Amino acid sequence: MKSQFELRAANPGGFHSSDCNTTVYRSDHGRKATQLGHSGCSIRESPFAKAYAVASRTLSKAENFASEHGFEKSYGSYEALLEDPEVHVIYNPLPNSLHCQWTIKALKAGKHVLCEKPLADNAAQCKQMITAAKRSRRLLMEAFMYRFHPQTRRIKELVTQGTLGEVRIVRAAFGFPLNQEVPNVRLVEKLTGGCLMDVGCYCVNAIRNLFGAEPISVLAHATRGKTTRVDLTFAGTLIFSDHRVGMFNSSFQTALDWTVEIVGTEGRIFVPSPWKPNAQLASFIVETRGEPKTIEVKDGGGIYHLEVEHFSRCILENQPLDLPPEDGLRNMAVIDALQESARTARVVRVRRV
């Protein structure tokens, strides 16, 4: 085991702040890992925590951010950061269109990479990233932070145990109001913006996870902005084997709308906050035989903290990832099919990857 690891965030200057802020931490034993600074989660409370480095396209922005958030180092380019031998792990929160390019560069530089979701623009790029990770013998993980909260794990356990009988339907929603008058990477077509790539990908990921299978085909509809041309609202239906159905809606045009509902032959589960469960007290409702029961998950922890600690431990202890990049590839294959369906107004089969 190496005595020191660095999970460090490649921070893109000039883009929307919620896509950029990051921090890095180090354990008492010199081990290091990273946290999403925009999460509001204090990774410094972890025994691993110590801020290390940040990079931007302009040095002054990196220096200001480093000073404000307690980083030790700042860089005026991503290349300079990749050349730092003290950096062992990169957090890549760049716009979607830059995920593949800079993740592969980081992997070739010998860094492990925690890459924001979705992993890439398309499944073909995901394959390139996975190949680069294997060749470099470094870990690559997609940053679906909600997957690491005990609430998500507990719901999956109940479904797998058959608490609901046979699961027939999963519904998921992730929407919020986005001010379209303010510049935002989510609204830039050339940066692969749009609500499906930003928040709809969560719904696809959750539906796949809860069914424990891949959809056979999809049908989708998108409402696009007149000037931005990105999808502002995106809805889709995922058809699985044995007549199981997943349905989702994602949007930049609604009030806060994030829920998951799982319906089986003998009951249902309703999750009011699936994407960002409360760190101190999360809860969801299980209804069987017509009787609802609230299940509480106490002191589950911050989702970003949990995600980073999992990634760090896998690196330091040579353990397999709970969320390997192949899962990101399969998620992207579904998203590719959804995009094609929205363009053609046809049912599209999901390619096996």
Side-chain angles (χ1 to χ4, degrees):
M1 179 187 298
K2 292 181 180 292
S3 62
Q4 189 177 71
F5 279 94
E6 182 74 31
L7 270 74
R8 179 266 150 220
N11 190 14
F15 291 112
H16 192 270
S17 62
S18 67
D19 294 295
C20 302
N21 301 347
T22 55
T23 58
V24 181
Y25 68 84
R26 175 183 303 170
S27 76
D28 292 338
H29 304 288
R31 302 172 183 176
K32 300 179 184 178
T34 188
Q35 173 229 6
L36 315 187
H38 68 272
S39 68
C41 170
S42 178
I43 201 68
R44 291 174 179 82
E45 295 176 1
S46 164
F48 293 90
K50 184 177 181 181
Y52 180 71
V54 63
S56 174
R57 295 176 301 173
T58 56
L59 181 58
S60 61
K61 290 182 179 180
E63 290 175 339
N64 290 338
F65 188 87
S67 175
E68 181 180 353
H69 295 278
F71 284 83
E72 293 180 16
K73 290 187 176 182
S74 52
Y75 293 92
S77 72
Y78 309 144
E79 291 88 350
L81 182 137
L82 294 181
E83 293 172 359
D84 185 342
E86 291 297 307
V87 174
H88 291 157
V89 183
I90 299 293
Y91 163 64
N92 182 353
L94 293 165
N96 298 328
S97 61
L98 300 178
H99 285 184
C100 180
Q101 173 188 351
W102 284 100
T103 291
I104 290 177
K105 286 185 177 183
L107 291 166
K108 287 183 176 180
K111 319 299 185 184
H112 303 276
V113 180
L114 175 62
C115 183
E116 262 306 327
K117 51 72 203 166
L119 203 55
D121 279 4
N122 51 57
Q125 287 186 357
C126 286
K127 290 180 180 179
Q128 295 174 30
M129 295 161 74
I130 292 170
T131 297
K134 290 179 178 178
R135 286 178 176 172
S136 66
R137 296 184 179 181
R138 293 297 183 266
L139 294 187
L140 167 62
M141 189 174 83
E142 187 174 27
F144 273 118
M145 71 292 181
Y146 83 99
R147 290 283 294 268
F148 299 93
H149 194 278
Q151 172 180 270
T152 306
R153 298 178 187 273
R154 180 59 179 145
I155 292 168
K156 175 67 173 178
E157 288 174 0
L158 291 172
V159 169
T160 303
Q161 292 168 3
T163 302
L164 307 182
E166 296 180 8
V167 174
R168 310 306 307 170
I169 297 171
V170 177
R171 304 186 188 99
F174 199 155
F176 67 96
L178 181 65
N179 187 347
Q180 297 176 46
E181 302 303 318
V182 178
N184 192 304
V185 293
R186 297 176 177 89
L187 300 174
V188 181
E189 186 176 18
K190 68 179 181 179
L191 297 179
T192 321
C195 68
L196 174 63
M197 295 290 278
D198 188 55
V199 290
C201 60
Y202 283 87
C203 301
V204 173
N205 183 270
I207 292 169
R208 293 176 47 253
N209 179 46
L210 291 165
F211 276 129
E214 302 304 321
I216 298 169
S217 60
V218 301
L219 179 63
H221 175 77
T223 300
R224 303 186 186 279
K226 293 181 179 179
T227 56
T228 64
R229 299 306 305 158
V230 302
D231 48 292
L232 302 178
T233 294
F234 198 107
T237 300
L238 282 58
I239 307 301
F240 292 79
S241 61
D242 299 323
H243 308 289
R244 297 172 295 170
V245 180
M247 296 172 283
F248 78 93
N249 54 276
S250 56
S251 185
F252 293 152
Q253 299 176 299
T254 66
L256 187 62
D257 177 28
W258 50 4
T259 59
V260 164
E261 185 176 17
I262 311 151
V263 185
T265 55
E266 298 178 17
R268 61 188 287 269
I269 291 176
F270 178 76
V271 192
S273 185
W275 317 124
K276 194 175 182 181
N278 187 277
Q280 287 74 44
L281 180 61
S283 65
F284 58 94
I285 298 170
V286 179
E287 181 181 311
T288 56
R289 300 182 182 87
E291 297 180 3
K293 179 181 179 181
T294 298
I295 305 296
E296 295 183 343
V297 180
K298 297 180 180 179
D299 300 320
I303 50 177
Y304 300 105
H305 182 166
L306 295 168
E307 171 187 62
V308 167
E309 288 209 342
H310 172 74
F311 193 54
S312 304
R313 291 178 68 90
C314 288
I315 294 169
L316 296 168
E317 299 171 9
N318 195 29
Q319 297 296 318
L321 295 166
D322 284 354
L323 199 59
E326 288 79 8
D327 187 80
L329 169 60
R330 291 188 289 270
N331 210 61
M332 201 69 237
V334 179
I335 292 173
D336 285 351
L338 287 164
Q339 298 276 32
E340 182 180 347
S341 178
R343 287 194 302 268
T344 62
R346 295 178 179 178
V347 174
V348 173
R349 291 188 66 84
V350 178
R351 293 181 178 86
R352 301 298 94 181
V353 291

